[in-house]
Amino acid sequence: MLEPRQPGRLSHDDLIDHLVRSTALQRGEAARVILDVLAYFDEKTEEFVRRRHRELQSGGMANTEIFERIATELPHRAVAPPELSLRQLRRIVYG
């Protein structure tokens, strides 16, 4: 279950209730889904680039394709970062 409401923290009870009503999820499952989604959107640009690089590389894609794909995905993030060049993306992954 999500943490109890604390000052300055949002309660997600309404969203949990909605997911329970509109899906086959149990309350605990709905809370975990919400936490996963929030963590996904809280991911920093550098973390996203590294994660996607690993995922796409493990799927057999070549780096040229990987960095082009990541460059096309970044603007569609919930909070899009500034446009990054392919070179900047490579530097995030390889330093």
Side-chain angles (χ1 to χ4, degrees), residues 33-84:
V33 167
I34 292 166
L35 289 175
D36 285 347
V37 170
L38 292 173
Y40 176 83
F41 285 114
D42 194 38
E43 189 175 40
K44 306 285 186 257
T45 299
E46 292 80 7
E47 294 166 342
F48 172 80
V49 170
R50 289 184 191 108
R51 178 179 59 78
R52 285 300 287 148
H53 182 267
R54 283 191 308 273
E55 291 171 352
L56 296 171
Q57 194 173 49
S58 71
M61 287 181 81
N63 273 342
T64 305
E65 296 172 294
I66 290 171
F67 291 117
E68 289 176 5
R69 172 96 168 254
I70 292 171
T72 62
E73 291 177 356
L74 280 172
H76 301 285
R77 302 278 297 162
V79 177
E83 187 173 339
L84 299 172

